[in-house]
Amino acid sequence: MAKKILELKNVTFDYGNQRIIEKATFSIEKGDFLGVIGPNGAGKTTLVKLILGLLKPSSGNIRLFGKDLTEFKEWKKVAYIPQKATGFDQNFPATVYEVASMGRFANAGMMKGLSGKDDERIENALEMVGMEKLKNSRIGELSGGQQQRVFMAKALAGEPELLILDEPTVGVDAEAQHNFYSLLKRLNKEYDMALMLISHDVGVISENVNKLLCVNVNVTFHDVSKGLNEAELHCAYPEGLAFVPHHHDE
């Protein structure tokens, strides 16, 4: 039986008198690749904030690794890459290695120095994302796609079991997007890492995920391990909306 990573049961969230999320029920198991789609303002980022404990649900229950979210303490098992991960001061005086090393603090503790084991994990993370040769470069000198990979290395250095990504390819070029999604696919397939990807890129979603969430206040869950159909891809969007198909390997 697959290991349960995340479980939501009838999770509802209201902001004042406005309903943002309506009775979300779904789960992620070890090795799952969950895609999350829906229009802007539909509640996708709110859903992530609920999972991360940054917001409290109005009703319902969230469990991480078998524990109620209110009791969960092992946050090193969860890594989050926000939409604006690369939106920082380009003059920030830190190297690629130093940024990636921040991902070990949850394991080592902020007041402790990094051990040889920590250094090994950081080096491995940089190698996984193809940034080991640039580890001494300043982060501000890199392209958007390279910066994105460094922040991925920071997340991976902590050895998470669940990686949550909120529109991670915003503002990077097509080649960098292709490379990044190839990396996600490798992490999922080779390392059995559970992924939750919020994206407007329906092509990426249709090619990679085995589970799908359609979010537009209401949250609809689909098991798409045997393939996606058009109705499932359209479920969160207004009727009559046209999609333009494309592939990242073209």
Side-chain angles (χ1 to χ4, degrees):
M1 185 175 180
K3 178 181 178 181
K4 284 286 180 73
I5 302 290
L6 170 69
E7 299 173 85
L8 276 75
K9 292 185 179 179
N10 295 319
V11 171
T12 295
F13 179 76
D14 298 321
Y15 184 75
N17 295 323
Q18 184 178 4
R19 178 63 47 91
I20 308 298
I21 295 292
E22 174 77 35
K23 294 184 178 179
T25 297
F26 65 93
S27 65
I28 298 176
E29 299 176 345
K30 184 177 177 63
D32 275 342
F33 194 151
L34 175 74
V36 184
I37 61 174
N40 290 332
K44 301 185 299 298
T45 298
T46 296
L47 187 62
V48 170
K49 289 180 178 180
L50 288 166
I51 293 168
L52 296 175
L54 302 175
L55 295 173
K56 294 183 179 180
S58 304
S59 62
N61 177 259
I62 302 174
R63 297 178 70 85
L64 273 170
F65 298 92
K67 292 186 178 180
D68 190 276
L69 193 62
T70 58
E71 302 173 355
F72 184 72
K73 305 295 183 185
E74 298 178 280
W75 286 105
K76 65 182 181 181
K77 292 184 176 182
V78 182
Y80 170 55
I81 299 181
Q83 186 178 111
K84 300 296 183 182
T86 59
F88 62 94
D89 185 352
Q90 297 299 304
N91 295 314
F92 184 60
T95 65
V96 165
Y97 187 89
E98 289 168 340
V99 172
S101 70
M102 295 175 188
R104 290 300 299 174
F105 290 142
N107 299 70
M110 289 294 292
M111 304 306 293
K112 298 180 181 179
L114 296 177
S115 67
K117 177 184 176 181
D118 293 320
D119 289 333
E120 181 180 345
R121 295 293 185 270
I122 296 164
E123 294 280 357
N124 287 344
L126 289 170
E127 185 176 352
M128 286 170 69
V129 303
M131 292 299 295
E132 70 277 12
K133 293 182 180 179
L134 293 174
K135 67 179 183 179
N136 295 319
S137 299
R138 290 289 183 95
I139 186 73
E141 297 172 351
L142 305 181
S143 68
Q146 289 172 326
Q147 290 175 357
Q148 181 190 57
R149 282 177 168 259
V150 175
F151 281 92
M152 175 66 91
K154 173 178 173 287
L156 296 177
E159 300 177 285
E161 294 183 47
L162 172 63
L163 180 59
I164 301 173
L165 308 103
D166 188 353
E167 292 283 357
T169 59
V170 170
V172 301
D173 60 52
E175 182 179 0
Q177 289 185 34
H178 170 73
N179 292 336
F180 187 77
Y181 288 130
S182 295
L183 172 61
L184 289 186
K185 191 171 184 178
R186 185 161 64 90
L187 290 173
N188 179 243
K189 298 299 183 186
E190 295 182 18
Y191 296 91
D192 212 23
M193 186 179 294
L195 305 177
M196 178 177 178
L197 171 67
I198 296 175
S199 179
H200 285 294
D201 193 328
V202 175
V204 167
I205 295 295
S206 64
E207 292 168 7
N208 295 293
V209 307
N210 70 314
K211 292 183 176 180
L212 178 69
L213 277 188
C214 298
V215 181
N216 195 350
V217 180
N218 290 301
V219 178
T220 307
F221 172 77
H222 302 281
D223 182 341
V224 294
S225 54
K226 296 182 179 179
L228 270 164
N229 60 49
E230 190 171 345
E232 289 164 342
L233 282 174
H234 284 73
C235 67
Y237 295 93
E239 188 175 349
L241 183 68
F243 288 94
V244 178
H246 70 286
H247 299 280
H248 284 268
D249 57 356
E250 292 179 351

